[in-house]
Amino acid sequence: MSCIFCKIAEHKAPAKIIFEDSDIIVFADFNPRAIVHLLVTPKFHCSRIMDLPDNLTLKIFETVRMITKELKLQDNFKLVLHNGALAGQIVEHLHFHYLSNQPNVDVKFKTVIT
Ligand code: 5GP
Ligand code: ZN
């Protein structure tokens, strides 16, 4: 499978990873449109939110809250999902954009794959 986000999940493509566990990976978007622009992604490959198992749907939102707490962005971020090409989805592996323009956020990368 030639999915770039699956490759990132397997550490087989470059990425700056801020969080990962067995199910979820959070990494910096390589073309940021905000001071903080992260992609919150299930490691399980699926394209659309309707195809994501319930436990992973819950885990995505738990992860969003966890990174929000860690980055101290409780009052200043937005979450964007492009679900389908007509909605602007380009990468066919489900991902939420996590964006904030708060200055001086201390984003610590746990793993950097070059
Ligand atoms: P969408 O599919 O929601 O329109 O956007 C895909 C996002 O993934 C874009 O913001 C783009 O910059 C980002 N992106 C695409 N390929 C890569 C990649 O290989 N690495 C990283 N870090 N981001 C990527
Ligand atoms: Zn994939």
Side-chain angles (χ1 to χ4, degrees), residues 38-51:
L38 306 172
L39 301 171
V40 185
T41 311
K43 290 189 171 178
F44 173 78
H45 179 92
C46 66
S47 300
R48 306 284 184 266
I49 188 91
M50 301 311 288
D51 301 323

Side-chain angles (χ1 to χ4, degrees), residues 11 17 20 23-24 37 78 87 96 100 108 110:
H11 291 192
I17 299 164
E20 71 179 317
D23 296 320
I24 310 288
H37 187 170
K78 69 179 169 183
F96 287 85
S100 177
K108 288 191 178 73
K110 301 231 159 57

Side-chain angles (χ1 to χ4, degrees), residues 1-7 41-46 91-94:
M1 144 128 37
S2 65
C3 169
I4 185 63
F5 288 0
C6 281
K7 284 188 182 147
T41 311
K43 290 189 171 178
F44 173 78
H45 179 92
C46 66
V91 176
E92 285 285 326
H93 181 130
L94 179 73

Side-chain angles (χ1 to χ4, degrees), residues 1-109:
M1 144 128 37
S2 65
C3 169
I4 185 63
F5 288 0
C6 281
K7 284 188 182 147
I8 288 173
E10 292 166 8
H11 291 192
K12 289 181 178 157
K16 292 177 177 176
I17 299 164
I18 79 150
F19 169 82
E20 71 179 317
D21 64 12
S22 54
D23 296 320
I24 310 288
I25 183 164
V26 184
F27 54 95
D29 194 298
F30 72 177
N31 179 24
R33 268 89 81 209
I35 293 173
V36 177
H37 187 170
L38 306 172
L39 301 171
V40 185
T41 311
K43 290 189 171 178
F44 173 78
H45 179 92
C46 66
S47 300
R48 306 284 184 266
I49 188 91
M50 301 311 288
D51 301 323
L52 191 66
D54 290 348
N55 64 315
L56 294 181
T57 307
L58 177 62
K59 219 169 160 187
I60 288 258
F61 284 97
E62 286 173 346
T63 304
V64 165
R65 297 209 294 203
M66 187 265 294
I67 59 174
T68 296
K69 208 169 159 191
E70 213 169 277
L71 299 176
K72 301 186 175 65
L73 285 171
Q74 283 90 335
D75 296 319
N76 191 8
F77 75 92
K78 69 179 169 183
L79 201 58
V80 175
L81 169 65
H82 298 142
N83 193 71
L86 292 176
Q89 185 172 7
I90 294 166
V91 176
E92 285 285 326
H93 181 130
L94 179 73
H95 53 280
F96 287 85
H97 296 254
Y98 183 101
L99 301 127
S100 177
N101 275 319
Q102 188 158 302
N104 306 318
V105 179
D106 188 17
V107 179
K108 288 191 178 73
F109 297 112

